[in-house]
C-alpha cells in the first residue's frame, strides 16, 4: 500500500465547509498523513528540512486546497518555491521525488460548466493546473487527474458528504496505485 502525504492549504479553514468535509473523510485513513500547512506555519515560515523529510517518508503527494485564482493558496506556492530545491527535487542529483505520485484535490466555487471552452472560465481545471503538472514532470513524478469539487459554495451538507466520500475513494485508489 502506498503512503500518502496530504499537503493541505486553506487560509481560513474555520470558515470552510467543502475542504472540511473532505479533510474529515481522509484524515483517519491508514497510511495517510494529513498535514495542515497554515496550521503548522501560521507565520508563513516553512521548515524546509522538515518538509523534505515528510515528503521522503511518503509515496504520494496529494495537494488539497480551495482553487484560488485558478491555482493554489499562497502558502502552497511558497511550499513549492522552498521545498522543491534544485539538486533535491530536480536538476543534477535531484532525484528525491522520482516515481512518487502527485494529485490535486481541490474545491472550486465555479460550476463544472464554467470550466469548459464555452464557459466563463474558458479552460478546464486540469488545463489551468499546467504549471503544477510541469513541476511534477520536472521532478519525475507521476501526475494523476485532479479530484475537483465544483460549485463548492452552493452544495448542501449531504452533497458535500457525497463528494468527500468520492475523494476518500480516490485516495484509496491512489494507495492501491490504480491508474486514472
Ligand atoms: C482569494 C480567492 C480566490 C478564489 N479563486 C477562485 C477561482 O479561481 N476559481 C473558482 O472556481 N473559485 C475560486 N474561489 C472560490 C473558492 O474556491 C471557494 O470559496 C472554495 O472552494 C470553498 O471551499 P471551502 O468551503 O473549503 O472554503 C476563490 C476564493 C477566494 C477567497
Amino acid at each position: 500500500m502506498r503512503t500518502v502525504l496530504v499537503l493541505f492549504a486553506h487560509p481560513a479553514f474555520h470558515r470552510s465547509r467543502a475542504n472540511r468535509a473532505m479533510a474529515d473523510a481522509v484524515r483517519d485513513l491508514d497510511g495517510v498523513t494529513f498535514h495542515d500547512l497554515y496550521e503548522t506555519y501560521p507565520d508563513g515560515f516553512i521548515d524546509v528540512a522538515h518538509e523534505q523529510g515528510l515528503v521522503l517518508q511518503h509515496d504520494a503527494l496529494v495537494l488539497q486546497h480551495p482553487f484560488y485564482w485558478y491555482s493554489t493558496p499562497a502558502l502552497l506556492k511558497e511550499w513549492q518555491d522552498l521545498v522543491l530545491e534544485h539538486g533535491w527535487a530536480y536538476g543534477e542529483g535531484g532525484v528525491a521525488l522520482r516515481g512518487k505520485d502527485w494529485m490535486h484535490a481541490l474545491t472550486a466555487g465555479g460550476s463544472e460548466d464554467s470550466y469548459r471552452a464555452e464557459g466563463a472560465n474558458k479552460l478546464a481545471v486540469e488545463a489551468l493546473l499546467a504549471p503544477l503538472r510541469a513541476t511534477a514532470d520536472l521532478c519525475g513524478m507521476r501526475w494523476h487527474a485532479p479530484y475537483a469539487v465544483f460549485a463548492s459554495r452552493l452544495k448542501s451538507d449531504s452533497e458535500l458528504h457525497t463528494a468527500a466520500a468520492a475523494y476518500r475513494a480516490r485516495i484509496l485508489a491512489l494507495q492501491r496505485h490504480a491508474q486514472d
Side-chain angles (χ1 to χ4, degrees):
M1 183 179 75
R2 291 172 74 79
T3 53
V4 176
L5 177 62
V6 178
L7 289 173
F8 176 63
H10 194 313
F13 193 33
H14 57 285
R15 288 205 298 268
S16 162
R17 289 178 63 241
N19 280 280
R20 182 166 297 281
M22 290 166 69
D24 289 348
V26 303
R27 64 188 344 152
D28 66 324
L29 285 173
D30 282 346
V32 171
T33 304
F34 189 85
H35 184 36
D36 184 337
L37 291 175
Y38 278 95
E39 181 185 67
T40 308
Y41 303 113
D43 299 328
F45 295 109
I46 290 175
D47 180 341
V48 173
H50 177 70
E51 294 301 313
Q52 290 181 342
L54 269 178
V55 170
L56 288 177
Q57 287 164 29
H58 295 83
D59 302 308
L61 296 184
V62 172
L63 285 71
Q64 186 193 324
H65 57 93
F67 214 22
Y68 274 11
W69 287 112
Y70 307 112
S71 187
T72 69
L75 191 56
L76 198 42
K77 177 62 163 63
E78 177 82 346
W79 187 97
Q80 297 160 48
D81 294 350
L82 297 183
V83 177
L84 304 180
E85 284 180 328
H86 182 265
W88 185 78
Y90 71 101
E92 200 180 330
V95 296
L97 300 171
R98 218 166 262 182
K100 295 185 190 287
D101 303 287
W102 179 303
M103 186 184 110
H104 285 261
L106 61 86
T107 64
S111 66
E112 190 159 10
D113 278 348
S114 76
Y115 285 98
R116 300 192 203 283
E118 60 284 4
N121 298 303
K122 307 276 193 284
L123 295 167
V125 162
E126 191 158 10
L128 291 160
L129 292 175
L132 292 134
R133 184 170 193 160
T135 302
D137 281 348
L138 187 67
C139 297
M141 299 180 72
R142 193 177 299 109
W143 175 264
H144 293 263
Y147 177 72
V149 177
F150 294 99
S152 57
R153 296 169 67 88
L154 301 176
K155 286 201 162 21
S156 67
D157 288 349
S158 127
E159 287 170 327
L160 288 178
H161 186 76
T162 303
Y167 172 42
R168 181 181 170 98
R170 278 294 299 273
I171 297 250
L172 289 170
L174 190 61
Q175 287 189 291
R176 289 193 306 270
H177 211 193
Q179 294 299 314
D180 296 313

